[in-house]
């Protein structure tokens, strides 16, 4: 029976002053007792809005009921029907705007901590993976190539492997995981303890991963479908091409994209003395932007020893970053300069950044996104002294795949054009995640990968069904 009278069980975290100096995970998560207590708050609604709000439609009430009963294995099995990366999603998904944002308890009280419960179950499953018998699905004789080992690629590959396909993932970087390893900091998503082990679970299904392969250079989509003998290709290559403002001074030494800044830190471990990866932060860093990537970059700069400031052209109400990340950033001493927009990066006599010239903004009428458009206040120019400027303004897909694949259509934004099921303009080629939508969330990419897996299965089965009558006719 639901115990919705108890308040939401708080989650233990590192002390802000301590964690701002290290890259250990901020949130400790629930222990078993805390998780079961929080699970007792679920109302088990007849029409659970949380399930509808989840991009992969996890059966949330059922897994929470199993968790409340102490049946952790059953809870893990319920989640596994719809998600192959629960430990990751439990940490980085924007639950407050999805499942938890739709929780009926949230109307008069605090919603059930669905994300933290998913994280607990996912971590428990990883800790007990050796106890599970290895069940490699029987192969059906068909092969699918997956480009990119981020959340879209991993989800697609996992579902296809479960359906009996021989799947191989081609990853451009030297480590699998895509944005999970290069884009999200260690203090939010531990790489070896969580990401590597989640990927190992996908590989246990028989999925092969080959790194250091740039499709469009080392291989092409045409060669994969041709001489390599794959029946279909899924593009889950993400959106790793950074955007800049186009203002004077962006070519100065000390101006970097958040993509490069985070890749050097996360994937190449610039924060660790055991790695000789160069990274420069100076004494003061300004991060331009207000999304999750901006929060990741500014909190990383703080941990690397700099005074770190967010510059964002709208007010805090319009910040697109998760409220939890903004809250954590403030606790850690990050400075916020709201309604502020850079117009020039300033140089010293040696061509290095010495500051950024900004203007004050005020909010006007709502734009296409529904957010109020920022308007410049006349005569409001002022300078912020800094050594490094990090541009966290979003990313778009790398144009290499489209440029090297005849007939693969793209949108005006440079994204790969695909329908709701992930089918592109090229037969046998499917796509999903950030490569189609532009930079979005891990769970949306996973959902797109799973949809595409179903479409690929239907495509190959349909093609096989057409071939059978032709084969029978030829024999007659």
């Amino acid at each position: 029976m639901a115990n919705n009278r108890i308040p939401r069980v708080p989650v233990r975290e590192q002390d802000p002053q301590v964690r701002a100096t290290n890259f250990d995970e901020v949130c400790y998560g629930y222990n078993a007792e805390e998780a079961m207590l929080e699970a007792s708050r679920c109302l088990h609604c007849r029409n659970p809005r949380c399930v509808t709000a989840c991009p992969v439609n996890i059966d949330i009430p059922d897994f929470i009921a199993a968790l409340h009963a102490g049946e952790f294995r059953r809870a893990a099995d319920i989640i596994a029907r719809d998600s192959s990366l629960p430990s990751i999603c439990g940490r980085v998904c924007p639950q407050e705007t999805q499942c938890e944002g739709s929780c009926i308890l949230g109307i008069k009280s605090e919603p059930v901590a669905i994300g933290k419960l998913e994280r607990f179950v996912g971590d428990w499953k990883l800790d007990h993976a050796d106890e599970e018998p290895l069940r490699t699905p029987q192969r059906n004789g068909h092969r699918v190539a997956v480009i990119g080992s981020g959340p879209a690629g991993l989800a697609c590959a996992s579902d296809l492997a479960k359906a009996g396909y021989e799947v191989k993932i081609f990853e451009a970087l030297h480590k699998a995981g895509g944005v999970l390893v290069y884009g999200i900091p260690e203090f939010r998503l531990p790489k070896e303890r969580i990401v590597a082990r989640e990927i190992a679970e996908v590989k246990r299904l028989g999925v092969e991963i080959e790194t250091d392969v740039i499709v469009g250079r080392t291989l092409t989509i045409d060669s994969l479908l041709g001489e390599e003998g794959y029946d279909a290709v899924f593009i889950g290559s993400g959106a790793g091409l950074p955007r800049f403002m186009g203002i004077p001074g962006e070519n100065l030494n000390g101006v970097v994209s958040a993509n490069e800044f985070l890749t050097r830190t996360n994937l190449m471990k610039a924060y660790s003395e055991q790695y000789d990866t160069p990274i420069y932060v100076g004494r003061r860093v300004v991060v331009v932007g207000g999304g999750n990537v901006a929060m990741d970059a500014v909190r990383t700069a703080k941990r690397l020893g700099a005074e770190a400031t967010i510059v964002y052209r709208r007010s805090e109400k319009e910040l697109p970053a998760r409220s939890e990340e903004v809250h954590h950033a403030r606790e850690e001493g990050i400075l916020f300069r709201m309604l502020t927009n850079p117009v020039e990066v300033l140089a010293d006599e040696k061509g290095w950044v010495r500051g950024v010239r900004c203007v004050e903004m005020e909010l006007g009428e709502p734009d296409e996104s529904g957010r109020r458009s920022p308007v410049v206040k006349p005569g409001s120019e002022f300078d912020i002294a800094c050594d490094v400027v990090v541009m966290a303004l979003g990313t778009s897909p790398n144009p290499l795949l489209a440029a090297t694949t005849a007939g693969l259509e793209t949108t005006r934004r440079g994204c790969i054009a695909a329908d709701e099921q992930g089918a592109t303009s090229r037969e046998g080629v499917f796509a999903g995640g950030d490569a189609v939508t532009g930079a979005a969330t891990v769970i949306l990419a996973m959902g797109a990968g799973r949809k595409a897996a179903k479409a690929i299965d239907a495509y190959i089965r349909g093609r096989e069904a057409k071939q059978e009558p032709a084969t029978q006719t030829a024999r007659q």
Side-chain angles (χ1 to χ4, degrees), residues 265-313:
T265 309
N266 302 331
L267 181 64
M268 303 170 72
K269 301 188 187 298
Y271 64 86
S272 173
E273 293 180 357
Q274 298 175 18
Y275 289 79
D276 191 21
T277 303
I279 193 164
Y280 175 67
V281 294
R283 291 183 298 116
R284 293 162 297 196
V285 173
V286 165
V287 176
V288 182
N292 289 326
V293 174
M295 295 305 143
D296 287 343
V298 79
R299 296 172 69 197
T300 294
K302 177 77 174 179
R303 284 160 171 77
L304 291 171
E307 177 187 288
T309 302
I310 280 281
V311 168
Y312 183 58
R313 63 183 184 149

Side-chain angles (χ1 to χ4, degrees), residues 87-419:
S87 286
I88 292 170
C89 290
R91 283 170 166 82
V92 303
C93 279
Q95 291 96 5
E96 66 274 12
T97 60
Q98 294 175 343
C99 54
E100 292 180 21
S102 297
C103 177
I104 200 76
L105 265 184
I107 295 175
K108 293 185 177 179
S109 179
E110 290 186 284
V112 176
I114 299 169
K116 297 298 188 287
L117 296 181
E118 181 185 15
R119 166 187 165 149
F120 171 81
V121 173
D123 288 5
W124 183 91
K125 183 179 180 182
L126 290 178
D127 290 339
H128 295 80
D130 293 342
E131 299 169 15
E132 255 189 294
L134 184 60
R135 302 186 188 96
T136 305
Q138 185 175 350
R139 296 289 170 236
N140 61 19
H142 295 287
R143 303 170 70 218
V144 179
V146 172
I147 302 170
S149 64
L154 290 170
C156 184
S158 176
D159 280 12
L160 286 170
K162 289 175 183 176
Y165 290 90
E166 182 184 329
V167 185
K168 186 170 184 178
I169 297 176
F170 296 94
E171 168 57 49
L173 297 176
H174 64 276
K175 210 163 195 175
V179 70
L180 303 173
V181 294
Y182 75 74
I184 303 176
E186 185 78 11
F187 56 81
R188 274 218 296 144
L189 183 62
K191 304 298 172 276
E192 296 303 322
R193 187 166 62 84
I194 300 300
V195 179
R197 291 164 73 197
E198 291 263 53
I199 292 172
E201 288 300 291
V202 175
K203 291 170 77 172
R204 272 165 58 93
L205 295 168
V207 174
E208 185 181 350
I209 302 178
E210 185 176 348
T211 57
D212 299 308
V213 179
I214 300 175
V215 178
R217 289 287 182 265
T218 316
L219 292 167
T220 64
I221 287 176
D222 290 325
S223 69
L224 289 170
L225 291 170
E227 54 262 37
E228 297 290 335
Y230 287 94
D231 297 281
V233 172
F234 173 73
I235 301 170
S237 49
L241 191 65
R243 294 178 189 156
F244 288 86
M245 294 187 72
I247 60 176
E250 275 189 317
N251 61 342
L252 292 173
N253 296 318
V255 179
V256 296
S257 69
N259 207 35
E260 178 184 345
F261 186 71
L262 291 171
T263 298
R264 285 179 180 272
T265 309
N266 302 331
L267 181 64
M268 303 170 72
K269 301 188 187 298
Y271 64 86
S272 173
E273 293 180 357
Q274 298 175 18
Y275 289 79
D276 191 21
T277 303
I279 193 164
Y280 175 67
V281 294
R283 291 183 298 116
R284 293 162 297 196
V285 173
V286 165
V287 176
V288 182
N292 289 326
V293 174
M295 295 305 143
D296 287 343
V298 79
R299 296 172 69 197
T300 294
K302 177 77 174 179
R303 284 160 171 77
L304 291 171
E307 177 187 288
T309 302
I310 280 281
V311 168
Y312 183 58
R313 63 183 184 149
R314 290 184 167 94
S315 71
E316 184 160 345
K317 184 181 177 182
E318 284 80 28
L319 275 172
R322 293 186 66 191
S323 56
E324 181 179 53
E325 304 309 321
V326 176
H327 171 67
H328 282 158
R330 285 198 178 280
E331 282 188 327
E332 291 163 11
I334 301 302
L335 304 175
F336 283 75
R337 299 293 293 262
M338 299 289 101
L339 292 167
T340 300
N341 201 40
V343 292
E344 182 181 358
V345 183
L346 307 174
D348 66 13
E349 64 280 1
K350 295 182 179 179
W352 283 83
V353 171
R354 68 171 176 84
V356 60
R357 181 154 295 159
C358 300
V359 289
E360 293 180 15
M361 312 294 284
E362 53 190 2
L363 295 179
E365 295 302 313
D367 62 13
E368 300 159 356
S369 69
R371 293 183 297 173
R372 292 170 65 193
S373 299
V375 181
V376 177
K377 277 188 184 179
S380 62
E381 280 193 359
F382 67 98
D383 296 346
I384 301 175
C386 61
D387 309 297
V388 170
V389 176
V390 180
M391 296 294 183
L393 305 168
T395 54
S396 56
N398 190 310
L400 178 62
L401 281 173
T404 57
T405 309
L408 186 64
E409 293 179 5
T410 57
T411 67
R412 285 186 303 170
R413 295 168 56 213
C415 298
I416 294 169
D419 65 19

Side-chain angles (χ1 to χ4, degrees), residues 142 427-428 430 455 457-474:
H142 295 287
E427 184 181 349
F430 298 78
D457 181 47
Y459 164 75
I460 292 175
R461 287 178 183 274
R463 196 176 64 166
E464 192 175 39
K466 288 177 184 176
Q467 289 172 346
E468 283 178 2
T471 305
Q472 290 171 0
T473 303

